């Protein structure tokens, strides 16, 4: 009887293990993965060869300091949406950066383009090799770039909670780099390996070998910028990942689907970060009896960030992020769609032919000095469409921030600037416009831009507030505590054990 029981237990244990292996990550190789690397010796070797360079990059360009601190981080151990991460104290260099793809969908077909309805590709189709490689490299380049941009922020974190969130975002961007490098090394042979090495060679903001996209070469000088970056720029990442998650190249689709799971937290950090800044400012104004949020000097004297300055930072980060979508009208975007490589946001939920044979899409253009909506073939207007989807997504957080302001009784509304404002790419790159979208000449722009974008003074003021707070449960003067802790931890939880 007892024997029988044990056998049943064993059998069910084996079954469980089998199910776990299907979803779970293999930690037996140096690089945790769910892509069966231990049986893919060539790729495993290539990745192991790349690993030391990655660790060098992390120590040179990853977070400055805190490398020996114990950080309460989540690590992905499965790709099961019901439970994929575990939290524990980890030293950052010992974080297990792994390669995790969402489970393969049986009989998945290409959901758009000329190959609509055909089986998704498990290997790179020869004719699309160059386009695919380019898209993977561009995505891959943004991941380490943001870590580089944020590397100085640890020393001015407003709390251990925020410090931990910064590091969580950083290690996950590192993992996203691994995700793209895996694709390059597994599917693109020698040029893939060269591209993988180049991803560790470029540096954000470097004059000789900068990162590939503009916003990823800008400075992230303070924590308000960090929150704006994670809200607006990581959200561009979300849109790009969504479009690539539709890809007919199945390994890319699966990689991006899992990256999106992690990415959600990055935008949460941004949205709640800005909420907490706004909250604190409103509270301080109320306590001090200030009724005019535009009385910048009075508000700043309270040691909080005035709403007009928050608005300027928002103008900057939103406009920089819009540039990441590329030109409104683009044959590259059309080609990638036709080929089945890069789809639309939520492609499979859109009801149309998924080929855009005759559809049009309204594009904002400059016509005889006036901003007008012009119908363009939907196929070439895909960047514009994705950018519109992005703007809609951005609005949601704004509503929450504005609710905090109005609940506190202030008449002030944070708004997104017009898409013609402060652009370097696309239709509006050669003109100047106000945040309301009124075209202005160079002289007016130069005179007024300090009213709309952060000035040196604004930067200096924010910098003056950036004093680190390292006691558990304590927060800097300019930011409210979060409503809930990470992993439901209590308010005084020590998210980073700095000296260990
Ligand atoms: Fe990322
Ligand atoms: Fe991110």
């Amino acid at each position: 009887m007892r024997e029988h029981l044990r056998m049943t237990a064993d059998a069910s244990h084996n079954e469980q293990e089998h199910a776990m292996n299907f979803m779970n990550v293999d930690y037996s190789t140096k690089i945790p993965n769910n892509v069966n690397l231990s049986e893919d010796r060539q790729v495993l070797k290539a990745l192991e060869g790349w690993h030391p360079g990655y660790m060098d990059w992390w120590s040179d360009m990853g977070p400055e300091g805190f490398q020996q601190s114990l950080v309460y981080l989540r690590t992905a151990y499965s790709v099961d949406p019901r439970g994929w991460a575990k939290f524990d104290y980890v030293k950052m260099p010992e974080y297990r950066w792994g390669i995790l793809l969402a489970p393969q969908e049986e009989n998945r077909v290409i959901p758009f383009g000329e190959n609509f309805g055909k089986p998704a590709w498990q290997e790179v189709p020869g004719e699309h090799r160059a386009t695919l490689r380019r898209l993977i490299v561009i995505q891959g380049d943004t991941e380490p770039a943001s870590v580089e941009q944020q590397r100085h922020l640890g020393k001015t974190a407003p709390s251990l909670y925020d410090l931990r969130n910064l590091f969580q975002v950083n290690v996950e961007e590192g993992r996203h780099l691994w995700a793209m490098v895996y694709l390059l090394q597994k599917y693109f042979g020698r040029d893939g390996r060269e591209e993988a090495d180049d991803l560790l060679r470029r540096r954000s903001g470097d004059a000789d070998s900068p990162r590939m996209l503009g916003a990823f070469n800008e400075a992230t000088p303070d924590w308000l910028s960090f929150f704006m970056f994670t809200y607006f720029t990581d959200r561009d990442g979300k849109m790009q990942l969504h479009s690539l998650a539709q890809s007919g190249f199945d390994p890319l689709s699966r990689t991006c689907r899992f990256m999106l799971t992690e990415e959600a937290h990055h935008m949460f950090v941004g949205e709640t970060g800005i909420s907490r800044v706004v909250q604190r400012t409103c509270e301080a104004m109320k306590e001090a009896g200030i009724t005019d949020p535009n009385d910048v000097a009075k508000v700043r004297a309270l040691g909080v960030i005035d709403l007009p300055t928050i608005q300027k930072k928002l103008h900057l980060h939103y406009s920089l992020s819009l540039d990441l979508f590329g030109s409104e009208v683009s044959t590259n975007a059309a080609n990638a769609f036709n080929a089945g490589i890069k789809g639309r946001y939520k492609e499979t939920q859109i009801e149309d032919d998924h080929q855009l044979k005759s559809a049009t899409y309204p594009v904002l253009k400059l016509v005889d000095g006036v901003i007008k909506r012009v119908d363009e073939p939907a196929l070439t207007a895909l960047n514009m469409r994705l950018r519109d989807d992005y703007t809609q997504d951005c609005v949601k957080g704004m509503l929450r921030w504005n609710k905090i302001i109005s609940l506190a009784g202030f008449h002030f509304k944070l708004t997104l600037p017009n898409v013609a404002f402060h652009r370097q790419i696309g239709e509006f790159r050669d003109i100047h416009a106000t945040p309301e979208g009124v075209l202005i000449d160079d002289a007016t722009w130069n005179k007024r831009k300090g009213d709309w974008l952060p000035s040196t003074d604004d930067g200096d003021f924010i910098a003056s507030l950036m004093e680190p707070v390292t006691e558990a449960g304590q927060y800097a003067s300019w930011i409210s505590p979060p409503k809930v802790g990470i992993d439901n931890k209590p308010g005084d939880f020590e998210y980073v054990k700095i000296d260990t």
Side-chain angles (χ1 to χ4, degrees):
M1 184 67 192
R2 193 175 280 172
E3 190 57 33
H4 174 74
L5 262 180
R6 215 180 72 205
M7 278 177 64
T8 323
D10 277 354
S12 83
H13 179 76
N14 281 344
E15 256 170 46
Q16 253 175 21
E17 196 148 279
H18 182 260
M20 302 258 283
N21 282 343
F22 170 66
M23 294 298 265
N24 279 33
V25 180
D26 175 6
Y27 276 89
S28 70
T29 49
K30 195 167 179 182
I31 299 144
N33 70 91
N34 70 346
V35 291
N36 219 358
L37 272 187
S38 56
E39 280 167 36
D40 198 346
R41 302 310 295 181
Q42 213 184 341
V43 178
L44 180 60
K45 246 181 96 183
L47 284 166
E48 284 179 348
W50 186 79
H51 188 243
Y54 173 81
M55 292 311 296
D56 286 348
W57 168 80
W58 181 266
S59 88
D60 291 350
M61 296 310 291
E64 209 183 280
F66 306 97
Q67 295 293 333
Q68 292 311 309
S69 303
L70 285 169
V71 187
Y72 193 68
L73 293 173
R74 72 175 181 192
T75 303
Y77 69 97
S78 153
V79 291
D80 184 343
R82 287 163 301 174
W84 58 275
K86 66 167 193 266
F87 290 81
D88 208 348
Y89 284 108
V90 184
K91 290 182 183 172
M92 283 188 279
E94 287 160 22
Y95 189 78
R96 300 298 303 269
W97 285 284
I99 294 166
L100 307 168
L101 273 59
Q104 188 167 345
E105 248 173 62
E106 233 175 290
N107 304 322
R108 181 169 175 262
V109 294
I110 301 169
F112 60 91
E114 280 162 355
N115 297 305
F116 177 72
K118 293 190 185 152
W121 307 302
Q122 299 306 326
E123 294 293 331
V124 178
E127 69 272 33
H128 302 318
R129 190 183 159 87
T131 313
L132 263 169
R133 195 185 63 200
R134 188 176 58 86
L135 287 174
I136 292 168
V137 168
I138 292 174
Q139 182 60 43
D141 193 66
T142 65
E143 312 290 356
S146 65
V147 177
E148 293 165 3
Q149 289 169 293
Q150 295 160 11
R151 68 185 304 260
H152 303 290
L153 292 174
K155 55 176 181 269
T156 55
S159 70
L160 292 182
Y161 167 88
D162 291 288
L163 188 61
R164 177 261 166 215
N165 283 350
L166 169 71
F167 294 156
Q168 183 70 59
V169 170
N170 292 160
V171 293
E172 284 173 350
E173 300 304 7
R175 202 199 69 71
H176 295 171
L177 172 60
W178 275 92
M180 293 297 120
V181 164
Y182 165 72
L183 293 179
L184 288 169
Q185 293 190 333
K186 177 158 173 73
Y187 296 99
F188 294 88
R190 193 206 176 112
D191 357 324
R193 288 194 292 278
E194 281 168 14
E195 295 282 14
D197 291 341
D198 283 348
L199 286 168
L200 294 176
R201 191 181 49 77
R202 287 184 288 271
R203 294 280 183 270
S204 175
D206 190 281
D208 300 323
S209 93
R211 291 293 172 184
M212 297 170 85
L213 302 173
F216 291 89
N217 288 304
E218 298 283 332
T220 309
D222 54 62
W223 276 78
L224 182 54
S225 288
F226 171 65
F227 294 137
M228 290 288 175
F229 186 98
T230 42
Y231 188 79
F232 288 108
T233 309
D234 278 89
R235 190 174 308 274
D236 158 71
K238 167 185 166 180
M239 304 312 285
Q240 304 299 339
L241 290 176
H242 262 287
S243 320
L244 294 173
Q246 302 290 342
S247 185
F249 179 45
D250 206 40
L252 176 61
S253 163
R254 292 170 57 200
T255 305
C256 291
R257 269 185 279 149
F258 186 66
M259 286 162 75
L260 280 165
T261 317
E262 292 163 313
E263 207 56 49
H265 174 68
H266 306 184
M267 281 167 287
F268 162 87
V269 168
E271 186 191 318
T272 54
I274 297 168
S275 289
R276 291 160 53 213
V277 176
V278 168
Q279 175 86 44
R280 184 68 204 110
T281 301
C282 290
E283 278 167 13
M285 290 195 296
K286 248 176 124 170
E287 282 160 22
I290 294 174
T291 52
D292 179 9
N294 291 303
D295 195 338
V296 170
K298 256 196 192 165
V299 177
R300 286 187 178 182
L302 305 172
V304 294
I305 306 173
D306 52 285
L307 300 180
T309 298
I310 296 173
Q311 175 69 69
K312 287 189 200 177
K313 283 272 199 187
L314 189 159
H315 282 156
L316 176 67
H317 287 271
Y318 177 68
S319 57
L320 288 172
S321 302
L322 289 181
D323 280 341
L324 293 170
F325 290 85
S327 292
E328 289 83 347
V329 175
S330 158
T331 46
N332 273 348
N335 292 339
F337 183 86
N338 269 337
I341 289 175
K342 185 178 176 187
R344 290 171 291 177
Y345 182 54
K346 300 193 170 161
E347 180 72 47
T348 48
Q349 293 169 33
I350 301 172
E351 280 184 28
D352 66 5
D353 66 351
H354 299 283
Q355 295 188 313
L356 304 175
K357 283 194 172 128
S358 55
T360 60
Y361 190 85
V363 173
L364 283 179
K365 290 188 124 181
L366 201 60
V367 184
D368 301 327
V370 186
I371 301 171
K372 278 195 175 147
R373 266 180 203 284
V374 181
D375 277 343
E376 288 283 337
L379 202 49
T380 53
L382 286 164
N383 287 346
M384 176 77 191
R385 181 186 175 117
L386 190 62
R387 202 186 72 190
D388 284 344
D389 290 334
Y390 166 78
T391 297
Q392 275 188 31
D393 211 53
C394 286
V395 168
K396 292 176 197 157
M398 311 260 315
L399 295 176
R400 289 191 197 116
W401 306 330
N402 282 329
K403 201 162 170 207
I404 296 171
I405 301 173
S406 67
L407 278 176
F410 294 103
H411 294 289
F412 190 100
K413 233 186 179 145
L414 293 167
T415 52
L416 295 177
N418 188 283
V419 293
F421 173 78
H422 187 238
R423 298 298 306 283
Q424 255 102 95
I425 293 199
E427 272 300 302
F428 308 110
R429 67 176 184 272
D430 297 324
I431 53 110
H432 289 304
T434 68
E436 293 76 33
V438 178
L439 299 187
I440 50 174
D441 59 19
D442 285 9
T444 315
W445 170 259
N446 287 325
K447 209 163 66 198
R448 302 270 334 258
K449 70 176 177 204
D451 298 341
W452 301 319
L453 292 168
S455 64
T456 316
D457 273 2
D458 298 327
D460 289 348
F461 169 69
I462 297 175
S464 75
L465 296 180
M466 296 294 123
E467 292 289 336
V469 175
T470 54
E471 206 172 308
Q474 299 296 305
Y475 289 82
S477 68
W478 53 272
I479 191 164
S480 294
K483 287 205 177 75
V484 279
I486 293 295
D487 193 29
N488 282 320
K489 291 297 172 200
D492 59 353
F493 186 71
E494 192 177 9
Y495 288 100
V496 183
K497 294 183 179 175
I498 294 179
D499 305 307
T500 44

